């Protein structure tokens, strides 16, 4: 029916004695919203870090859009079409919201020193396009009115949105969100749900780590559950919710 | 120059603002043009020399600003690139080797060679940040100086601690700046001529810096400064972009170095010691890291103020106490240090920080993922 966009095969990652990921395999289909849940310390963020090239895996491989992803090369991963946000927001704090998104455009643009200094036709056109795209994206995530404010002056919820806008600026095929609803109130979470649904409608596949079980279950097409670095379940939300292993993991560990 | 750029931007928006900006630019141009004559007649040639040096330091500060202010890489050995430019000029245009190559060739060559040295320094230090980077770059600066000191045996290349003298003055198309130049009945004295040349080149460097700052490359530099991990994840090839910062910054230093050699007529390793690196770094930090007008201000103040203290300390003491209590030279450094401490206490972001980015000093480094982050 649908084609596989990301195929993670037996990904392993340890830190000293801790097996943060133990042969985790999962495959994400083109166009779906895929949830990754599990108790604290289960290895979700570690999976993101391996996926986006920030950590070198100790085993396994990642096939993205039919080709192997390079390990330990975050900028190449971004170029291939995977963008992410961070659990602990990582914005360019002393740049404006607009500039943050413009940095996101870096990977799809080309101007070098010569173009920057001389302002040849191509560079000027590119710069105009970057500006327009950044404005568009700020509108899209609904923070256009904060365009000129420094990222660190935005509210928490707006920072999360800005991070999403910056990620979208890289023109990703897969958008990986690490606990985007953390610290948001009910209305903000609802707006976030709409935003994520909109992103999927625009043809971008979403990989979502989230603690808010209601949000995950309502939003995701499929969900995988990690516990102590192992995938214990992968299915549609209705089935995952009833899986005894999942219930045990959540009851046994710190309840999310 | 900034007035000029502003006038350009303004033209698109508002006619009156554009006229105001053009008027400001013209006024600024006139002030800059007559400035050496005012200084020369009011304060004498020694002060005009100081003004000329201020231009060179502005170029250095702007170069270091790319590395430290934009990209956030603490470089404590920056003066090495000034040395590279200066020695290249000295070797290619002096009786030392009997070479007398033209200036238009040596200065760009100095920029390129310094840029290569910048990349050489950058490559092995790409993974370092903060204090570690500071120590390695400091070592690099000292290594270059020590090489210059010792490359006189077995083959005499640099003439060691004696340095190289008799360097050709800067000369362009048969006109030498070492002697007064007459243009249309006007006589432009040598120091004035150097002033104009340095001014033009400094403005050129300001222009390039402004253009870079507002470009894809400039944004990538600042992104790396702000959060290296996030920058990588946005698709920035941080290795290349950092190397570019080192190279660009160094090449400005190379240009300034070549001009220094031609202006001074003499170079020796002692001109490129650690204190000089620290001085240029102070200009960047004190003026307002990452903010171009601030950095220019820092360059001017830190060149002129120590001289003011030096010249003023004696007479002021005589007037106050009737005798000289403290050696002006020692007092100069004391006052200078005091001024630095006061500025850093009361304006930690610099005297003239950028209005949009009054950057807070974050002790935390951003290039390591913390556990579970
Ligand atoms: N950089 C690191 N160094 C050491 N241990 C780490 C590191 N990153 C994560 N871990 C460990 O790996 C495990 C999984 O962490 P993480 O992926 O952050 O979990 P989650 O995001 O699911 O809460 C935890 O035991 C954590 O302590
Ligand atoms: Mg996590």
């Amino acid at each position: 029916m649908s084609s596989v966009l990301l195929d993670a095969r037996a990904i392993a990652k340890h830190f000293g004695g801790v097996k943060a990921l133990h042969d985790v395999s999962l495959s994400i289909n083109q166009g779906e919203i895929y949830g990754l849940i599990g108790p604290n310390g289960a290895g979700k963020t570690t999976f993101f870090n391996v996926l986006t090239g920030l950590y070198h895996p100790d085993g396994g491989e990642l096939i993205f859009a039919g080709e192997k992803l390079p390990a330990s090369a975050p900028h190449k991963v971004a170029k291939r079409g995977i963008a992410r946000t961070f659990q602990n927001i990582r914005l360019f704090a002393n740049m404006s919201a607009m500039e943050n998104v413009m940095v996101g455009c870096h990977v799809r643009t080309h101007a070098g020193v010569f173009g920057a200094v001389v302002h040849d036709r191509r560079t000027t056109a590119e710069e105009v396009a970057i500006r327009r795209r950044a404005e568009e994206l700020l509108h899209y995530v609904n923070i256009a009115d904060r365009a000129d404010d420094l990222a660190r002056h935005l509210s928490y919820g707006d920072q999360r949105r800005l991070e999403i806008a910056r990620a979208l600026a890289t023109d990703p095929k897969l958008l990986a969100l690490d606990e985007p609803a953390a610290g948001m109130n009910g209305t903000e979470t609802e707006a976030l749900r709409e935003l994520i649904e909109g992103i999927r409608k625009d043809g971008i596949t979403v990989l979502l780590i989230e603690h808010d079980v209601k949000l995950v279950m309502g939003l995701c097409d499929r969900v995988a559950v990690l516990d102590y670095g192992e995938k214990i379940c992968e299915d549609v939300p209705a089935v995952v919710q009833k899986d005894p292993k999942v219930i045990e993991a959540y009851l046994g560990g710190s309840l999310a | 120059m900034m007035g000029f750029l502003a006038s350009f931007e303004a033209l698109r928006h508002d006619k009156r603002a554009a006229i105001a900006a053009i008027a400001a630019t013209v006024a600024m141009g006139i002030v800059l043009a007559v400035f050496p004559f005012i200084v020369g007649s009011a304060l004498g040639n020694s002060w005009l020399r100081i003004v000329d040096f201020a231009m060179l330091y502005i170029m250095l500060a702007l170069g270091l600003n790319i590395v430290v202010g934009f990209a956030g890489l603490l470089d404590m050995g920056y003066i090495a690139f000034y040395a590279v430019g200066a020695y290249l000029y000295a070797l290619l245009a002096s009786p030392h080797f009997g070479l007398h190559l033209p200036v238009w060739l040596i200065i760009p060559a100095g920029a390129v060679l310094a840029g290569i040295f910048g990349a050489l320094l950058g490559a092995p230090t790409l993974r370092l940040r903060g204090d570690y980077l500071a120590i390695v770059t400091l070592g690099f600066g000292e290594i270059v100086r020590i090489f210059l000191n010792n490359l006189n045996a077995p083959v005499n290349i640099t003439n060691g601690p004696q340095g190289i003298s008799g360097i050709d003055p800067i000369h362009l198309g048969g006109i030498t700046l070492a002697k007064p130049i007459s243009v249309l009945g006007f006589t432009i004295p040598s120091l004035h001529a150097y002033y104009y040349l340095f001014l033009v080149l400094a403005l050129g460097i300001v222009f390039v810096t402004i253009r870079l700052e507002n470009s894809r490359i400039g944004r990538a530099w600042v992104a790396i400064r702000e959060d290296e991990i996030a920058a990588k994840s946005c698709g920035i090839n941080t290795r290349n972009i950092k190397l570019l910062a080192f190279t660009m910054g160094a090449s400005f230093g190379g240009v300034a170095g070549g001009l220094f050699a031609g202006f001074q007529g003499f170079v020796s390793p002692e001109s490129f010691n650690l204190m000089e690196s620290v001085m240029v770094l102070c200009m960047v930090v004190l003026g307002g890291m990452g903010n171009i007008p601030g950095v220019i201000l820092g360059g001017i103040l830190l060149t002129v103020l120590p001289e003011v203290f030096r010249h003023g300390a004696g007479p002021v003491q005589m007037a106050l106490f009737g005798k000289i209590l403290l050696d002006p030279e020692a007092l100069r450094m004391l006052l200078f240090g005091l001024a630095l401490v006061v500025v850093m206490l009361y304006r930690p972001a610099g005297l003239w920080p950028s209005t949009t980015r009054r950057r807070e000093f974050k002790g935390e480094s951003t290039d390591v993922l913390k556990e579970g982050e």
Side-chain angles (χ1 to χ4, degrees):
Chain A
M1 179 185 86
S2 43
S3 64
V4 173
L5 179 64
L6 176 73
D7 191 10
R9 296 179 184 160
I11 301 297
K13 177 76 196 169
H14 354 265
F15 298 104
V18 181
K19 281 188 179 164
L21 293 173
H22 187 238
D23 293 347
V24 173
S25 297
L26 45 87
S27 70
I28 300 175
N29 295 326
Q30 183 83 47
E32 74 181 341
I33 300 179
Y34 188 99
L36 188 58
I37 64 170
N40 260 330
K44 306 178 295 292
T45 298
T46 303
F47 181 80
F48 266 35
N49 287 340
V50 170
L51 171 67
T52 53
L54 292 174
Y55 285 162
H56 196 97
D58 295 311
E61 57 178 6
L62 291 153
I63 312 293
F64 182 70
E67 277 176 70
K68 205 168 171 307
L69 270 186
S72 310
H75 67 279
K76 287 185 191 156
V77 173
K79 181 133 205 173
R80 290 281 300 281
I82 300 180
R84 70 171 291 178
T85 63
F86 294 85
Q87 182 174 346
N88 306 345
I89 303 172
R90 281 180 167 267
L91 286 166
F92 307 122
N94 295 292
M95 296 176 97
S96 69
M98 180 80 176
E99 288 170 323
N100 267 271
V101 184
M102 289 170 85
V103 171
C105 297
H106 182 95
V107 70
R108 303 286 167 219
T109 47
H110 309 281
V113 169
F114 179 82
V117 174
V118 178
H119 275 194
D120 58 307
R121 277 249 280 312
R122 227 182 87 196
T123 308
T124 314
E126 188 180 274
E127 196 66 14
V128 170
I130 289 172
R131 214 159 259 287
R132 192 174 311 135
R133 174 96 178 113
E135 273 165 12
E136 235 172 64
L137 284 167
L138 287 175
H139 265 287
Y140 187 80
V141 302
N142 225 343
I143 51 171
D145 54 326
R146 310 298 310 267
D148 296 326
D149 294 332
L150 294 192
R152 65 185 163 88
H153 290 156
L154 300 192
S155 71
Y156 193 76
D158 285 351
Q159 291 193 355
R160 288 244 177 249
R161 291 170 162 273
L162 178 56
E163 231 193 349
I164 294 176
R166 184 182 68 186
L168 289 173
T170 67
D171 251 329
K173 293 192 183 84
L174 175 69
L175 176 64
L177 304 171
D178 197 345
E179 300 197 23
M184 283 189 175
N185 61 31
T187 22
E188 284 174 324
T189 307
E190 189 45 42
L192 178 72
R193 173 211 300 282
E194 278 163 29
L195 178 62
I196 295 174
E197 265 166 357
I199 290 168
R200 184 250 294 273
K201 274 207 197 79
D202 291 343
I204 297 170
T205 307
V206 178
L207 170 57
L208 176 67
I209 294 181
E210 189 45 71
H211 264 314
D212 187 329
V213 175
K214 227 178 82 201
L215 181 69
V216 174
M217 296 305 172
L219 201 54
C220 296
D221 302 302
R222 286 190 307 143
V223 175
V225 186
L226 287 185
D227 189 27
Y228 291 112
E230 289 190 53
K231 188 176 85 176
I232 56 172
C233 179
E234 180 186 34
D235 216 313
V236 295
V239 176
V240 168
Q241 261 170 317
K242 299 215 174 66
D243 191 301
K245 270 197 285 187
V246 176
I247 294 167
E248 199 199 298
Y250 269 90
L251 291 179
S254 59
L255 198 70
Chain B
M1 169 60 59
M2 265 161 289
F4 173 71
L5 284 183
S7 70
F8 235 77
E9 294 300 317
L11 248 175
R12 292 187 201 142
H13 301 300
D14 183 349
K15 245 198 173 135
R16 269 179 54 200
I19 291 167
I22 290 169
T25 310
V26 171
M28 186 77 177
I30 293 171
V31 169
L32 285 175
V34 300
F35 188 66
F37 290 95
I38 297 169
V39 171
S41 55
L43 298 167
N45 274 348
S46 68
W47 278 98
L48 198 47
R49 266 187 84 77
I50 292 165
V51 169
D52 286 357
F53 266 107
M55 294 287 175
L56 293 178
Y57 279 109
I58 288 172
M59 294 180 211
L60 286 175
L62 285 169
L64 184 60
N65 179 55
I66 289 185
V67 183
V68 179
F70 291 165
L73 303 162
L74 187 49
D75 182 351
M76 297 279 293
Y78 184 70
I79 212 67
F81 308 122
Y82 191 51
V84 167
Y87 265 86
L88 187 72
Y89 189 109
L91 295 175
L92 297 182
S94 74
H96 183 58
F97 285 147
L99 291 172
H100 299 279
L101 299 187
V103 172
W104 59 262
L105 198 78
I106 306 176
I107 299 287
V112 171
L113 188 67
I116 292 170
F117 269 76
L120 283 180
L121 167 66
T125 58
L126 284 169
R127 288 172 184 281
L128 304 178
R129 261 195 110 100
D131 359 8
Y132 299 102
L133 181 61
I135 288 168
V136 174
T137 51
L138 188 152
F140 175 83
E142 285 298 282
I143 287 170
V144 168
R145 188 180 61 81
I146 291 166
F147 261 96
L148 294 174
N149 233 332
N150 293 293
L151 280 182
N152 55 348
V155 187
N156 185 2
I157 300 172
T158 62
N159 207 27
Q162 284 88 41
I164 298 170
S165 51
I167 299 171
D168 299 351
I170 293 179
H171 49 94
L172 298 158
I175 302 166
T176 170
L177 300 196
K179 295 194 190 86
I181 303 163
S182 45
V183 191
L184 309 167
F186 256 127
T187 314
I188 303 174
S190 170
L191 285 172
H192 297 56
Y194 273 110
Y195 167 87
Y196 291 122
L197 175 70
F198 291 0
L199 179 66
V200 167
L201 288 170
L203 288 178
I205 283 179
V206 170
F207 175 79
V208 170
T209 312
I210 292 175
R211 279 283 169 94
L212 283 173
E213 185 186 21
N214 299 304
S215 75
R216 172 176 175 267
I217 303 291
R219 287 189 296 267
W221 282 333
V222 177
I224 290 175
R225 177 189 82 193
E226 291 292 312
D227 191 323
E228 193 166 346
I229 298 269
K232 279 182 189 166
S233 294
C234 284
I236 293 171
N237 183 335
T238 53
R239 184 196 54 188
N240 290 358
I241 295 289
K242 279 185 187 179
L243 277 181
L244 191 59
F246 275 116
T247 308
M248 286 304 301
S251 68
F252 291 4
V255 170
L259 298 174
F260 166 73
F263 179 56
Q264 187 86 341
F266 168 70
V267 295
S268 79
E270 268 325 292
S271 305
F272 310 105
N273 57 30
L274 178 61
M275 194 54 210
E276 288 288 306
S277 282
V278 171
M279 203 66 178
V280 180
L281 187 62
C282 285
M283 292 170 183
V284 176
V285 174
L286 193 97
M289 265 210 284
N291 188 38
I292 296 167
V295 171
I296 295 172
L297 179 71
I300 295 171
L301 284 183
L302 289 203
T303 316
V304 173
L305 274 187
E307 298 300 328
V308 172
F309 291 148
R310 192 216 302 266
H311 289 264
V316 169
Q317 287 187 61
M318 284 304 278
L320 282 180
F321 313 113
K323 60 179 179 207
I324 291 186
L325 295 169
L326 284 166
D327 167 35
E329 194 62 26
L331 196 61
R332 169 175 90 110
M333 288 324 281
L334 192 73
L335 288 174
F336 179 65
L338 206 65
L340 280 184
V341 172
V342 169
V343 170
M344 286 295 103
L345 276 179
Y346 290 98
R347 298 195 65 97
L351 288 172
W352 189 350
S354 138
T355 45
T356 49
R357 313 184 181 87
R358 285 175 203 276
R359 174 168 150 68
E360 283 174 335
F361 287 95
K362 302 177 293 185
E364 223 177 294
S365 86
T366 59
D367 57 338
V368 214
L369 274 176
K370 285 190 219 73
E371 191 173 313
E373 195 173 338

